[in-house]
Amino acid sequence: MTNSRIAAVDVGNDSIKAIFGKLDSELNIPNVIAREVEDRPVIGIEDLDSKNPLEGIHIRVHSPALKENNSIYRVGHLATKSNNATELDPGSSKSEEDQTLVMLFSALALDTVQKEGFTGFKKSGNVIDANYTLGTGLPLREVKEGKDAGYRSKLLGSVHQVEFLVTPKYQGIKVNIKFDEVKVYPEGFAAYINLVMDNNLNIINKDLIDKRILIQDIGGLSTDIAVIKNRNVDDDKAQGFNLGVSEALESIREEIRSKHGVELDSRRDVVEIITKKNDRNHIMVKGSRTSVHDITDRILLDLAKKQYRLLRNVWQKNSQTEICYFVGGGSIVLKDYLKTLNNNLDGYNIDFFEDEKESIWMMANAYYKLISDFSRRTNKEKADQEKKPVKAN
């Protein structure tokens, strides 16, 4: 365990957020992949190593956990430029998709090559062996269905290899990833941990710790509503729903294409149009600034009504709830619509995180707190065992 590097990874529908080591590294990569050939064409190949590796992730992934083994992918920003780019589909299970694993392995491999000097990593030629202690999570629905055990077993006990192909700075390097431990947490529980505890799991929000609260985590593919009472998630009352923002973002993207003839690369481009500080809900059409407010308002208000209905139904079954926190990337997209609906309708006590980064990184931060604490306790137990005197026969 002492030579194992900590990784806290949130494979979100929009992007993967990952925190490593002793908070010494973090990555945020769009969750987009595209199948590719080995020698992708690059203009100015001699200048490849002067470019940002995150803009040109081109890899081969070999893992017994994958359905499509030994395939080549563009990942992240590079994949968004491809005609065959794929994003996770509504209704799919995160734990069963190759894309989830490809994104996870990509992030770990990038951390490995960036932190080559880490004492736990051994290098032989162009091959690096990396050991990780992983904290990650799945939607509540999948955990309640028992899919976390299968997901964990796919990762443990095997070596997963990422080979960097035409990638800036790292071309030709192979990373063998092995997991010393994998912890898979329900996303709603993780959000609660992040709300009330610091990196050492000390309570930082005493006002909240004994309240009855709901946490509505709106993701790309699903929504989790965690019910918290007596400092624990009520597993029976917590619910997961197949309702996220992806379908709405895809509808906006399609309508912009059909109405204005503008092709957006990915759902992330739609999110940027909706949330940017200046010229929000505007695009450029043939060089002219054009409003798409009519499209975004209609589609997002419809989704906000569905999300509000979920809140109302869960609150009615938990009538002594004191407050509901909206978290996740989807809550940022829907915040204004949900606030307006709430003001005009039931007037529940709801709250959002005004710091967008805090809301987006909430899951990764929570996984980091939980897996760091696990690692500390495991190392302490190991050290205590080694200190015990050996009894003479």
Side-chain angles (χ1 to χ4, degrees):
M1 188 67 70
T2 51
N3 288 332
S4 193
R5 184 163 165 82
I6 285 173
V9 183
D10 170 26
V11 186
N13 176 69
D14 174 65
S15 66
I16 184 170
K17 280 79 64 179
I19 302 169
F20 300 98
K22 296 182 178 178
L23 296 170
D24 53 71
S25 177
E26 65 179 44
L27 287 170
N28 189 345
I29 306 167
N31 190 352
V32 185
I33 64 173
R35 291 289 288 272
E36 182 57 291
V37 294
E38 193 152 357
D39 294 314
R40 69 180 179 89
V42 177
I43 298 169
I45 187 73
E46 65 277 2
D47 299 324
L48 182 69
D49 285 350
S50 65
K51 296 175 181 175
N52 183 352
L54 292 182
E55 299 291 331
I57 305 169
H58 180 231
I59 57 173
R60 185 200 309 274
V61 187
H62 178 82
S63 167
L66 295 169
K67 299 186 193 90
E68 298 285 335
N69 197 1
N70 219 31
S71 295
I72 296 170
Y73 298 95
R74 293 180 177 215
V75 175
H77 296 287
L78 187 65
T80 64
K81 301 169 186 173
S82 178
N83 292 328
N84 62 333
T86 62
E87 299 175 78
L88 290 174
D89 293 322
S92 62
S93 291
K94 195 185 286 189
S95 59
E96 297 173 344
E97 295 290 332
D98 271 7
Q99 181 155 342
T100 305
L101 296 172
V102 170
M103 293 303 302
L104 171 65
F105 299 149
S106 299
L108 295 173
L110 280 163
D111 175 67
T112 297
V113 290
Q114 288 174 352
K115 294 291 175 182
E116 206 179 292
F118 177 67
T119 54
F121 298 162
K122 294 176 183 175
K123 187 174 183 183
S124 175
N126 67 337
V127 180
I128 305 173
D129 293 322
N131 285 62
Y132 282 93
T133 297
L134 175 68
T136 189
L138 289 173
L140 194 60
R141 172 182 59 84
E142 293 187 51
V143 174
K144 289 182 90 166
E145 290 171 0
K147 291 180 178 176
D148 54 326
Y151 184 61
R152 180 175 179 271
S153 67
K154 272 197 252 186
L155 297 174
L156 283 170
S158 298
V159 176
H160 317 276
Q161 186 183 82
V162 174
E163 178 184 359
F164 289 97
L165 301 175
V166 190
T167 302
K169 295 186 175 64
Y170 307 130
Q171 198 168 358
I173 298 176
K174 295 179 181 178
V175 179
N176 292 327
I177 299 164
K178 194 168 183 185
F179 295 101
D180 293 305
E181 184 55 271
V182 174
K183 293 290 185 183
V184 182
Y185 304 104
E187 290 175 351
F189 170 67
Y192 174 65
I193 290 293
N194 202 59
L195 275 171
V196 299
M197 295 178 179
D198 66 12
N199 283 337
N200 297 313
L201 296 193
N202 297 314
I203 294 168
I204 53 172
N205 196 334
K206 291 182 179 176
D207 292 338
L208 201 59
I209 192 73
D210 288 320
K211 281 188 175 180
R212 290 195 172 194
I213 63 176
L214 301 179
I215 299 173
Q216 188 154 336
D217 174 24
I218 306 174
L221 302 177
S222 62
T223 295
D224 285 347
I225 305 184
V227 180
I228 314 291
K229 58 181 181 181
N230 300 326
R231 306 190 182 194
N232 288 299
V233 176
D234 188 325
D235 291 330
D236 293 325
K237 293 192 173 182
Q239 293 187 56
F241 305 91
N242 280 329
L243 179 68
V245 295
S246 292
E247 213 161 346
L249 297 176
E250 206 60 62
S251 297
I252 292 169
R253 184 177 166 195
E254 175 59 29
E255 207 160 315
I256 286 174
R257 188 193 64 77
S258 61
K259 185 174 180 179
H260 298 288
V262 173
E263 190 74 57
L264 300 171
D265 286 338
S266 67
R267 295 171 197 154
R268 174 170 271 217
D269 290 343
V270 180
V271 172
E272 192 176 319
I273 289 164
I274 295 164
T275 59
K276 61 186 176 181
K277 297 290 183 282
N278 299 314
D279 288 339
R280 184 173 292 187
N281 293 308
H282 283 78
I283 60 171
M284 297 304 291
V285 180
K286 298 176 182 176
S288 298
R289 182 175 167 276
T290 304
S291 172
V292 290
H293 234 299
D294 57 329
I295 298 172
T296 57
D297 274 355
R298 174 170 44 79
I299 293 172
L300 293 178
L301 180 59
D302 182 58
L303 177 59
K305 286 177 180 175
K306 292 174 182 175
Q307 288 287 346
Y308 195 77
R309 206 172 297 131
L310 297 182
L311 170 68
R312 180 186 283 158
N313 290 342
V314 174
W315 202 305
Q316 282 177 348
K317 293 171 185 173
N318 300 276
S319 61
Q320 297 309 295
T321 296
E322 296 174 66
I323 188 169
C324 175
Y325 283 94
F326 282 91
V327 303
S331 69
I332 294 167
V333 171
L334 296 176
K335 178 169 69 173
D336 292 341
Y337 303 96
L338 287 166
K339 282 184 175 179
T340 301
L341 284 170
N342 192 52
N343 289 338
N344 293 336
L345 296 170
D346 301 308
Y348 289 115
N349 185 16
I350 64 174
D351 203 0
F352 295 79
F353 287 88
E354 299 306 324
D355 183 337
E356 290 186 3
K357 182 177 179 184
E358 184 180 359
S359 188
I360 291 169
W361 282 82
M362 177 169 281
M363 294 303 166
N365 284 330
Y367 301 150
Y368 184 83
K369 293 172 184 181
L370 290 163
I371 199 64
S372 297
D373 180 66
F374 168 80
S375 182
R376 271 193 301 269
R377 285 187 286 107
T378 304
N379 285 332
K380 185 177 183 302
E381 286 169 12
K382 191 176 176 183
D384 289 346
Q385 282 293 117
E386 288 172 355
K387 283 179 187 176
K388 282 185 179 179
V390 178
K391 291 181 180 178
N393 291 328

